[in-house]
Amino acid sequence: MSAPLNLMAPDVRANPYPLYAELRRRPVCQVEPGGMWAVSRHDDVVAVLKDTRRFSSAGLGRSFLPPWLERNPVAASLVMKDPPEHTRLRGLVSRAFSGAALQRLEAQVRAIAEELAEAVVRQQEVDFVAAFSLRLPVRVLSLLFGLEPELWPRMRVWADDLLSIPASHPTPERREEIRQSLEEMERCFQALLASRRAAPGEDLVSELLGAEGLTDDERMSFLFSLLPAGFETTAHLLSNTVLVLTRHPREAERVIAEPRLIPRLIEEVLRYEPPAQSSLRLVTEDTEVGGVRVPRGALVAVLLGSAMRDEQRYPEADRFDLDREGQGHLPFGHGIHFCLGAQLARMEARLGLEALLARIRGVSLTRQEVSWSQSYIARGPLRLPVRFEPRAD
Ligand code: HEM
């Protein structure tokens, strides 16, 4: 008997692309963990993401509210809702991510990126994940929320705790830690809502308070959801880009010489080594995907990371190619749940890389083996020991 197809197998976490290629050769099929139905071809992925009636986002919500947890505002957030509720909520919160809101942030994000880049390049040898990738998004989120610097380390713990809820079977001690984390977050966000209500500013929280029709519970759920949505993913994008540069020195040389290629670099990394590898959907009625019957109640793993390596859609899909034409791919999802933070994430990555590449002649790994995040949803290195060659001038 052949080994089960397992998205969590250690060799698959280290490199999921051979398994994805095998999955694309079959029609839609069941995989571990949990017997989920893997949808791996580009066109099937797009079809599932478009069909919100038969493929509900509620499955995600359930996984964030296991029986041992009495309350978790994330479980009621935008990304886990279907129309019509999703439509109403998205209409109300999306102004906070408008072009004007991003423009207001740009100079501050650039200043943070410059400060962090200066420090990592001065050290020359660093763990890029700890010294840069995790720091930039935490500081940007705290800007967005208007949180004090003392809370930066707590934000990281909150994001980790939230993300560990669907992924693990925690011990009683760990459950208590997670509960306390959620309570601490809620107290903090309640204080934030009260202070902006008293004195509104030009920030996300004030924007949410100004959105008539949102309840305070909905505002709380949305704020909670931005930690798992906006933090780890963006950190992985920065780390994945630097890792790709160490493995493609010729491309690294080109981008360092021609910084206008940075947006192109980011788009190709988002396709080739995407931070969000999959999303989940719950099947609401017996249906068919890619010619295969999938029963009502099944959980579907929508493999974005596989869709973007599909040869039917991308010629030489396994080749990292800065000159690749025709984007239109799926790193931020597709359809009604298309990532609200996509432009913010792209801006953070662009400003982070501009600050970094302006200071270096090259970058290399100091240890070849990379340990990867243990999740089939988010992919990025846990540590990235690199050496920067600073510019002489
Ligand atoms: C939704 C990826 C950064 C906020 C999504 C989805 C993906 C995604 C794939 C769709 C999920 C689904 O269909 O189930 C990413 C990646 C990022 C990133 C790869 C970084 C490189 C951010 C940031 C924020 C954010 C920085 C905000 C601070 C959201 C929100 C949604 C979402 C609110 C839900 C939208 C909805 O349901 O209508 N993201 N994201 N994301 N993302 Fe992002």
Side-chain angles (χ1 to χ4, degrees), residues 78-79 86 90 229-230 233-234 237 279 281 331-333 336-337 339 341 345:
L78 180 70
V79 73
H86 175 269
R90 180 141 175 152
T233 44
T234 312
L237 173 57
S279 191
R281 294 293 186 268
F332 294 106
I336 64 164
H337 290 283
C339 176

Side-chain angles (χ1 to χ4, degrees), residues 5 23 42 144 185 188 204 255 262 272 300 308 316 335 357 366 368 372:
L5 302 163
L23 289 172
H42 178 276
L144 208 62
M185 275 177 88
C188 174
L204 171 100
V255 187
I262 288 173
Y272 179 81
V300 172
M308 291 187 282
E316 293 189 81
L357 299 187
T366 54
Q368 285 310 312
W372 291 91

Side-chain angles (χ1 to χ4, degrees), residues 49 57 60 78-79 86 90 97 141 144 222 225-226 229-230 233-234 237 270 275-276 279-281 304 330-333 336-342 344-345 348:
L49 293 178
S57 291
L60 260 179
L78 180 70
V79 73
H86 175 269
R90 180 141 175 152
F97 290 89
L141 276 181
L144 208 62
F222 187 64
S225 73
L226 294 183
T233 44
T234 312
L237 173 57
L270 282 166
S279 191
L280 294 177
R281 294 293 186 268
L304 305 169
L330 302 164
F332 294 106
I336 64 164
H337 290 283
F338 182 83
C339 176
L340 258 188
L344 175 61
E348 287 182 55

Side-chain angles (χ1 to χ4, degrees), residues 18-332:
L19 175 66
Y20 292 165
E22 190 179 338
L23 289 172
R24 286 193 304 274
R25 282 193 290 274
R26 308 163 177 239
V28 169
C29 66
Q30 283 184 277
V31 297
E32 294 303 315
M36 292 182 297
W37 292 76
V39 175
S40 52
R41 295 177 186 165
H42 178 276
D43 292 356
D44 293 338
V45 162
V46 171
V48 167
L49 293 178
K50 271 187 177 159
D51 189 346
T52 56
R53 193 177 60 77
R54 279 183 297 182
F55 300 96
S56 160
S57 291
L60 260 179
R62 242 183 255 177
S63 65
F64 276 92
L65 199 56
W68 54 268
L69 202 56
E70 302 71 36
R71 180 177 156 72
N72 181 2
V74 158
S77 64
L78 180 70
V79 73
M80 311 190 186
K81 299 277 185 205
D82 296 320
E85 222 184 329
H86 175 269
T87 323
R88 178 183 70 84
L89 282 176
R90 180 141 175 152
L92 289 169
V93 299
S94 48
R95 258 201 30 215
F97 290 89
S98 66
L102 289 191
Q103 250 176 10
R104 281 200 299 271
L105 279 182
E106 176 153 352
Q108 289 162 289
V109 177
R110 189 188 301 280
I112 299 169
E114 297 282 340
E115 178 196 323
L116 294 175
E118 184 64 30
V120 291
V121 175
R122 203 174 331 109
Q123 287 172 66
Q124 294 193 16
E125 282 196 23
V126 285
D127 169 13
F128 186 73
V129 174
F132 196 95
S133 305
L134 289 172
R135 291 189 186 196
L136 183 61
V138 160
R139 290 186 53 180
V140 172
L141 276 181
S142 78
L143 264 184
L144 208 62
F145 283 39
L147 288 174
E148 303 301 323
E150 299 84 79
L151 286 171
W152 293 344
R154 294 305 300 158
M155 289 173 75
R156 168 110 192 260
V157 174
W158 295 341
D160 281 350
D161 284 350
L162 277 172
L163 285 166
S164 70
I165 294 170
S168 58
H169 300 287
T171 59
E173 295 75 37
R174 183 76 187 109
R175 288 178 185 185
E176 197 39 44
E177 252 171 43
I178 293 175
R179 276 195 205 100
Q180 284 182 10
S181 222
L182 297 186
E183 283 169 18
E184 186 189 11
M185 275 177 88
E186 202 158 353
R187 277 197 304 275
C188 174
F189 293 160
Q190 252 153 10
L192 204 58
L193 285 164
S195 88
R196 293 301 182 282
R197 190 169 266 133
E202 281 200 320
D203 52 80
L204 171 100
V205 176
S206 306
E207 198 77 66
L208 292 178
L209 285 165
E212 280 172 35
L214 272 185
T215 66
D216 269 359
D217 274 353
E218 287 166 346
R219 293 185 178 105
M220 184 62 76
S221 285
F222 187 64
L223 290 173
F224 258 71
S225 73
L226 294 183
L227 277 165
F231 171 43
E232 199 192 31
T233 44
T234 312
H236 287 337
L237 173 57
L238 289 161
S239 307
N240 292 354
T241 306
V242 167
L243 180 63
V244 165
L245 290 177
T246 65
R247 291 180 170 166
H248 296 84
R250 235 178 302 146
E251 279 75 8
E253 232 173 74
R254 257 184 89 190
V255 187
I256 290 171
E258 273 185 87
R260 66 176 180 83
L261 293 176
I262 288 173
R264 210 171 240 283
L265 166 71
I266 294 167
E267 294 310 308
E268 180 62 349
V269 170
L270 282 166
R271 182 196 70 84
Y272 179 81
E273 199 56 274
Q277 292 276 320
S278 60
S279 191
L280 294 177
R281 294 293 186 268
L282 189 69
V283 177
T284 59
E285 63 184 39
D286 290 354
T287 186
E288 217 176 76
V289 193
V292 174
R293 292 202 66 72
V294 180
R296 174 168 186 257
L299 203 57
V300 172
V302 188
L303 298 176
L304 305 169
S306 168
M308 291 187 282
R309 295 281 190 119
D310 188 340
E311 287 284 340
Q312 300 294 323
R313 176 67 174 73
Y314 301 97
E316 293 189 81
D318 285 333
R319 194 159 73 84
F320 181 77
D321 180 4
L322 268 184
D323 300 313
R324 188 178 289 281
E325 287 304 331
Q327 304 289 346
H329 50 254
L330 302 164
F332 294 106

